Protein backbone atom coordinates (compact mmCIF):
# COMPACT_ATOMS: atom_id res chain seq x y z
CA UNK A 1 0.00 0.00 0.00
CA UNK A 2 2.88 2.37 0.73
CA UNK A 3 4.36 1.75 -2.73
CA UNK A 4 1.00 2.23 -4.39
CA UNK A 5 0.43 5.47 -2.47
CA UNK A 6 3.84 6.73 -3.62
CA UNK A 7 3.04 5.84 -7.25
CA UNK A 8 -0.33 7.59 -7.00
CA UNK A 9 1.29 10.75 -5.59
CA UNK A 10 3.85 10.71 -8.42
CA UNK A 11 1.09 10.39 -11.03
CA UNK A 12 -0.86 13.30 -9.48
CA UNK A 13 2.25 15.48 -9.48
CA UNK A 14 3.02 14.61 -13.11
CA UNK A 15 -0.52 15.54 -14.13
CA UNK A 16 -0.37 18.84 -12.21
CA UNK A 17 3.02 19.66 -13.76
CA UNK A 18 1.70 18.95 -17.26
CA UNK A 19 -1.34 21.21 -16.70
CA UNK A 20 0.88 23.96 -15.33
CA UNK A 21 3.31 23.66 -18.24
CA UNK A 22 0.64 24.08 -20.93
CA UNK A 23 -1.78 26.26 -18.91
CA UNK A 24 -4.54 23.67 -19.04
CA UNK A 25 -7.60 23.80 -16.82
CA UNK A 26 -10.43 22.12 -18.68
CA UNK A 27 -9.64 21.36 -22.30
CA UNK A 28 -13.00 19.73 -22.98
CA UNK A 29 -15.06 22.97 -23.07
CA UNK A 30 -12.29 24.89 -24.85
CA UNK A 31 -12.14 22.23 -27.53
CA UNK A 32 -15.91 22.31 -28.03
CA UNK A 33 -15.91 26.11 -28.35
CA UNK A 34 -13.04 25.93 -30.83
CA UNK A 35 -14.93 23.40 -32.95
CA UNK A 36 -18.03 25.62 -32.97
CA UNK A 37 -15.85 28.59 -33.98
CA UNK A 38 -14.40 26.60 -36.89
CA UNK A 39 -17.88 25.60 -38.02
CA UNK A 40 -19.09 29.22 -37.87
CA UNK A 41 -16.09 30.51 -39.84
CA UNK A 42 -16.55 27.78 -42.44
CA UNK A 43 -20.23 28.69 -42.89
CA UNK A 44 -19.31 32.38 -43.24
CA UNK A 45 -16.68 31.54 -45.87
CA UNK A 46 -19.26 29.57 -47.88
CA UNK A 47 -21.73 32.45 -47.76
CA UNK A 48 -19.01 34.95 -48.72
CA UNK A 49 -17.96 32.78 -51.67
CA UNK A 50 -21.55 32.61 -52.91
CA UNK A 51 -22.00 36.40 -52.63
CA UNK A 52 -18.60 36.98 -54.20
CA UNK A 53 -19.45 34.75 -57.15
CA UNK A 54 -22.78 36.55 -57.60
CA UNK A 55 -21.10 39.97 -57.52
CA UNK A 56 -18.45 38.86 -60.01
CA UNK A 57 -21.14 37.53 -62.37
CA UNK A 58 -23.07 40.81 -62.11
CA UNK A 59 -19.94 42.90 -62.79
CA UNK A 60 -19.08 40.74 -65.80
CA UNK A 61 -22.61 41.29 -67.13
CA UNK A 62 -22.31 45.05 -66.45
CA UNK A 63 -19.00 45.17 -68.28
CA UNK A 64 -20.48 43.28 -71.22
CA UNK A 65 -23.45 45.71 -71.34
CA UNK A 66 -21.02 48.57 -72.15
CA UNK A 67 -23.35 51.23 -70.76
CA UNK A 68 -26.55 49.97 -72.39
CA UNK A 69 -29.32 50.78 -69.91
CA UNK A 70 -31.71 48.14 -71.22
CA UNK A 71 -29.09 45.40 -70.78
CA UNK A 72 -28.20 46.73 -67.33
CA UNK A 73 -31.84 46.64 -66.28
CA UNK A 74 -31.97 43.00 -67.35
CA UNK A 75 -29.57 42.17 -64.50
CA UNK A 76 -31.64 40.85 -61.60
CA UNK A 77 -29.78 42.62 -58.81
CA UNK A 78 -30.05 46.00 -60.56
CA UNK A 79 -33.65 45.75 -61.68
CA UNK A 80 -34.70 44.52 -58.23
CA UNK A 81 -33.50 47.66 -56.40
CA UNK A 82 -36.32 49.94 -55.31
CA UNK A 83 -34.86 53.25 -56.49
CA UNK A 84 -34.07 51.88 -59.94
CA UNK A 85 -37.46 50.22 -60.17
CA UNK A 86 -39.25 53.49 -59.28
CA UNK A 87 -37.36 55.58 -61.86
CA UNK A 88 -37.86 52.91 -64.51
CA UNK A 89 -41.59 52.92 -63.82
CA UNK A 90 -41.60 56.75 -64.04
CA UNK A 91 -39.81 56.59 -67.40
CA UNK A 92 -42.35 54.08 -68.70
CA UNK A 93 -45.25 56.23 -67.51
CA UNK A 94 -43.71 59.39 -69.06
CA UNK A 95 -43.16 57.64 -72.40
CA UNK A 96 -46.80 56.55 -72.38
CA UNK A 97 -47.74 60.17 -71.63
CA UNK A 98 -45.63 61.35 -74.59
CA UNK A 99 -47.40 58.93 -76.89
CA UNK A 100 -50.75 60.19 -75.66
CA UNK A 101 -49.72 63.83 -76.15
CA UNK A 102 -48.48 63.16 -79.67
CA UNK A 103 -51.92 61.99 -80.58
CA UNK A 104 -53.25 65.45 -79.73
CA UNK A 105 -50.30 67.84 -80.15
CA UNK A 106 -47.30 68.16 -82.40
CA UNK A 107 -43.77 67.49 -81.24
CA UNK A 108 -43.18 71.24 -80.96
CA UNK A 109 -45.94 71.75 -78.46
CA UNK A 110 -44.68 72.92 -75.01
CA UNK A 111 -46.32 70.00 -73.21
CA UNK A 112 -44.65 67.50 -75.51
CA UNK A 113 -41.26 69.24 -75.12
CA UNK A 114 -41.70 69.28 -71.36
CA UNK A 115 -42.46 65.56 -71.42
CA UNK A 116 -39.33 64.92 -73.53
CA UNK A 117 -37.22 66.99 -71.12
CA UNK A 118 -38.66 65.03 -68.18
CA UNK A 119 -37.82 61.79 -69.95
CA UNK A 120 -34.22 62.89 -70.50
CA UNK A 121 -33.95 63.97 -66.87
CA UNK A 122 -35.31 60.63 -65.65
CA UNK A 123 -32.90 58.70 -67.83
CA UNK A 124 -29.99 60.78 -66.54
CA UNK A 125 -31.08 60.08 -62.98
CA UNK A 126 -31.37 56.38 -63.83
CA UNK A 127 -27.88 56.40 -65.32
CA UNK A 128 -26.46 58.11 -62.24
CA UNK A 129 -28.16 55.64 -59.93
CA UNK A 130 -26.91 52.73 -62.04
CA UNK A 131 -23.38 54.11 -61.88
CA UNK A 132 -23.63 54.49 -58.10
CA UNK A 133 -24.96 50.94 -57.75
CA UNK A 134 -22.21 49.58 -59.96
CA UNK A 135 -19.58 51.40 -57.90
CA UNK A 136 -21.13 50.02 -54.73
CA UNK A 137 -21.10 46.49 -56.17
CA UNK A 138 -17.43 46.85 -57.06
CA UNK A 139 -16.74 48.12 -53.53
CA UNK A 140 -18.76 45.26 -52.02
CA UNK A 141 -16.83 42.77 -54.15
CA UNK A 142 -13.58 44.21 -52.85
CA UNK A 143 -14.85 43.96 -49.28
CA UNK A 144 -15.99 40.40 -49.84
CA UNK A 145 -12.56 39.44 -51.18
CA UNK A 146 -10.85 41.02 -48.17
CA UNK A 147 -13.30 39.45 -45.74
CA UNK A 148 -12.84 36.07 -47.41
CA UNK A 149 -9.08 36.35 -46.97
CA UNK A 150 -9.47 37.34 -43.31
CA UNK A 151 -11.92 34.48 -42.70
CA UNK A 152 -9.52 32.03 -44.32
CA UNK A 153 -6.73 33.26 -42.04
CA UNK A 154 -9.04 32.94 -39.01
CA UNK A 155 -10.02 29.42 -40.08
CA UNK A 156 -6.40 28.36 -40.38
CA UNK A 157 -5.62 29.91 -36.99
CA UNK A 158 -8.60 28.22 -35.32
CA UNK A 159 -7.68 24.90 -36.94
CA UNK A 160 -4.11 25.21 -35.69
CA UNK A 161 -5.36 26.05 -32.19
CA UNK A 162 -7.65 23.03 -32.25
CA UNK A 163 -4.77 20.82 -33.35
CA UNK A 164 -2.61 22.12 -30.48
CA UNK A 165 -5.47 21.61 -28.01
CA UNK A 166 -5.96 18.04 -29.18
CA UNK A 167 -2.25 17.33 -28.80
CA UNK A 168 -2.22 18.82 -25.30
CA UNK A 169 -5.41 16.99 -24.41
CA UNK A 170 -3.94 13.69 -25.64
CA UNK A 171 -0.91 14.16 -23.38
CA UNK A 172 -3.12 15.09 -20.43
CA UNK A 173 -5.37 12.05 -21.00
CA UNK A 174 -2.32 9.80 -20.70
CA UNK A 175 -1.53 11.30 -17.29
CA UNK A 176 -5.21 11.06 -16.30
CA UNK A 177 -5.31 7.36 -17.22
CA UNK A 178 -2.18 6.77 -15.18
CA UNK A 179 -3.70 8.59 -12.18
CA UNK A 180 -6.97 6.64 -12.47
CA UNK A 181 -5.11 3.34 -12.81
CA UNK A 182 -2.98 4.04 -9.72
CA UNK A 183 -6.02 5.14 -7.72
CA UNK A 184 -8.09 2.06 -8.69
CA UNK A 185 -5.18 -0.26 -7.89
CA UNK A 186 -4.67 1.42 -4.51
CA UNK A 187 -8.40 1.22 -3.68
CA UNK A 188 -8.48 -2.46 -4.68
CA UNK A 189 -5.53 -3.33 -2.44
CA UNK A 190 -6.96 -1.23 0.40
CA UNK A 191 -10.27 -3.11 0.13
CA UNK A 192 -8.39 -6.42 0.20
CA UNK A 193 -6.52 -5.34 3.35
CA UNK A 194 -9.76 -4.35 5.08
CA UNK A 195 -11.39 -7.66 4.17
CA UNK A 196 -8.37 -9.55 5.47
CA UNK A 197 -8.44 -7.63 8.75
CA UNK A 198 -12.15 -8.30 9.18
CA UNK A 199 -11.61 -12.01 8.50
CA UNK A 200 -8.85 -12.14 11.11
CA UNK A 201 -11.07 -10.43 13.67
CA UNK A 202 -13.80 -13.01 13.08
CA UNK A 203 -11.45 -15.97 13.69
CA UNK A 204 -11.30 -17.59 17.21
CA UNK A 205 -7.81 -17.15 18.57
CA UNK A 206 -8.25 -19.04 21.94
CA UNK A 207 -9.72 -22.52 22.40
CA UNK A 208 -10.92 -24.13 25.67
CA UNK A 209 -12.04 -27.70 26.38
CA UNK A 210 -15.43 -27.55 28.01
CA UNK A 211 -16.08 -31.31 28.54
CA UNK A 212 -14.31 -34.56 27.71
CA UNK A 213 -16.13 -36.76 25.21
CA UNK A 214 -17.71 -40.06 26.40
CA UNK A 215 -17.37 -43.01 24.03
CA UNK A 216 -20.32 -45.50 23.73
CA UNK A 217 -19.74 -49.21 24.47
CA UNK A 218 -21.40 -50.36 21.26
CA UNK A 219 -21.66 -48.85 17.81
CA UNK A 220 -24.45 -46.33 17.31
CA UNK A 221 -25.31 -47.65 13.86
CA UNK A 222 -26.01 -50.26 12.52
CA UNK A 223 -27.84 -52.36 15.20
CA UNK A 224 -27.47 -56.07 14.19
CA UNK A 225 -29.94 -57.42 16.75
CA UNK A 226 -32.73 -55.06 15.80
CA UNK A 227 -32.09 -55.62 12.11
CA UNK A 228 -32.26 -59.42 12.58
CA UNK A 229 -35.59 -59.32 14.42
CA UNK A 230 -37.09 -56.96 11.85
CA UNK A 231 -35.95 -59.14 8.94
CA UNK A 232 -37.31 -62.31 10.63
CA UNK A 233 -40.74 -60.73 11.18
CA UNK A 234 -40.94 -59.49 7.58
CA UNK A 235 -39.93 -62.96 6.28
CA UNK A 236 -42.62 -64.63 8.43
CA UNK A 237 -45.30 -62.35 7.02
CA UNK A 238 -44.11 -62.97 3.47
CA UNK A 239 -44.17 -66.78 3.75
CA UNK A 240 -47.54 -66.74 5.53
CA UNK A 241 -49.04 -64.68 2.74
CA UNK A 242 -47.58 -67.01 0.11
CA UNK A 243 -49.01 -70.14 1.76
CA UNK A 244 -52.43 -68.46 2.19
CA UNK A 245 -52.51 -67.50 -1.47
CA UNK A 246 -51.68 -71.05 -2.55
CA UNK A 247 -54.31 -72.56 -0.27
CA UNK A 248 -57.00 -70.25 -1.54
CA UNK A 249 -56.21 -71.01 -5.18
CA UNK A 250 -56.19 -74.78 -4.62
CA UNK A 251 -59.85 -74.76 -3.33
CA UNK A 252 -61.27 -72.93 -6.33
CA UNK A 253 -62.91 -74.83 -9.23
CA UNK A 254 -61.71 -73.12 -12.40
CA UNK A 255 -63.01 -75.55 -15.10
CA UNK A 256 -65.54 -78.42 -15.62
CA UNK A 257 -62.65 -80.87 -15.82
CA UNK A 258 -61.90 -80.20 -12.16
CA UNK A 259 -65.49 -81.37 -11.24
CA UNK A 260 -65.10 -84.53 -13.28
CA UNK A 261 -61.77 -85.22 -11.63
CA UNK A 262 -63.46 -84.98 -8.21
CA UNK A 263 -66.27 -87.43 -9.28
CA UNK A 264 -69.02 -84.87 -8.57
CA UNK A 265 -72.18 -85.31 -10.69
CA UNK A 266 -73.09 -82.32 -12.87
CA UNK A 267 -76.27 -81.41 -14.74
CA UNK A 268 -74.94 -78.81 -17.16
CA UNK A 269 -72.75 -75.77 -17.65
CA UNK A 270 -73.96 -72.16 -17.56
CA UNK A 271 -71.52 -70.01 -19.51
CA UNK A 272 -70.48 -66.63 -18.07
CA UNK A 273 -71.96 -63.71 -20.03
CA UNK A 274 -70.02 -60.50 -19.68
CA UNK A 275 -71.69 -58.44 -22.45
CA UNK A 276 -75.48 -58.27 -22.04
CA UNK A 277 -77.19 -57.26 -25.30
CA UNK A 278 -80.47 -55.42 -25.42
CA UNK A 279 -83.65 -57.57 -25.73
CA UNK A 280 -81.64 -60.74 -25.04
CA UNK A 281 -80.76 -60.07 -21.44
CA UNK A 282 -83.46 -62.40 -20.03
CA UNK A 283 -82.20 -65.39 -21.98
CA UNK A 284 -78.64 -64.50 -21.20
CA UNK A 285 -79.37 -64.22 -17.50
Amino acid sequence: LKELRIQMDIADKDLAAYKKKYNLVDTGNVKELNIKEIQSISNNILEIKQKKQQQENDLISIKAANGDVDILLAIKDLSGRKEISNINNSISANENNIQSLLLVYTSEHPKVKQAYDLNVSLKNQLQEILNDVIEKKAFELSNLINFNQLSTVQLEKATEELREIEEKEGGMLNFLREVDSSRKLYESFLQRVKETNEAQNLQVSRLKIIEMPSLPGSPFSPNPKQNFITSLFISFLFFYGLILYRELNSTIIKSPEAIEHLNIPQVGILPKVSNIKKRYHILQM
Side-chain angles (χ1 to χ4, degrees), residues 41 44-45 47-49 51-52 140-154:
I41 294 174
N44 290 336
I45 289 176
E47 293 178 0
I48 290 169
K49 286 183 177 180
K51 293 180 180 179
K52 176 174 168 291
E140 290 176 359
L141 178 61
S142 178
N143 290 335
L144 289 174
I145 293 173
N146 294 332
F147 191 65
N148 186 27
Q149 293 176 354
L150 293 175
S151 299
T152 304
V153 173
Q154 290 179 356

Side-chain angles (χ1 to χ4, degrees), residues 190-208:
L190 184 61
Q191 184 66 24
R192 293 282 297 276
V193 170
K194 289 182 180 179
E195 292 175 356
T196 305
N197 292 334
E198 291 295 332
Q200 289 179 353
N201 293 331
L202 293 175
Q203 292 178 356
V204 179
S205 59
R206 295 180 181 180
L207 298 177
K208 183 179 180 181

Side-chain angles (χ1 to χ4, degrees), residues 49-65 71-72 74-78 137 141 144:
K49 286 183 177 180
Q50 292 177 356
K51 293 180 180 179
K52 176 174 168 291
Q53 185 65 37
Q54 184 65 35
Q55 295 287 1
E56 288 177 349
N57 294 335
D58 290 343
L59 290 175
I60 291 172
S61 301
I62 290 170
K63 186 176 180 180
I71 298 176
L72 292 175
I75 299 174
K76 184 177 180 180
D77 187 46
L78 296 179
K137 290 181 72 66
L141 178 61
L144 289 174

Side-chain angles (χ1 to χ4, degrees), residues 32 49 72 76 100 134 171 174 195 236 238 269 273-274:
E32 184 178 355
K49 286 183 177 180
L72 292 175
K76 184 177 180 180
S100 301
I134 292 171
N174 291 330
E195 292 175 356
F236 175 75
F238 176 74
I269 299 172
V273 180
S274 59

Side-chain angles (χ1 to χ4, degrees), residues 4 11 19 38 47-48 81 87 94 97 127 153 189-190 193 233 246 249 271 283:
L4 290 174
K19 286 184 176 180
I38 291 174
E47 293 178 0
I48 290 169
R81 293 179 180 268
I87 293 179
N94 188 52
N97 186 28
Q127 187 65 45
V153 173
F189 269 82
L190 184 61
V193 170
F233 180 72
R246 182 178 177 81
N249 283 337
L283 297 177

Side-chain angles (χ1 to χ4, degrees), residues 10 30 49 53 70 116 147 155 157 183 224 240:
I10 292 173
V30 175
K49 286 183 177 180
Q53 185 65 37
D70 294 333
Y116 277 121
F147 191 65
L155 179 62
K157 182 179 179 181
R183 183 176 292 109
Y240 179 79

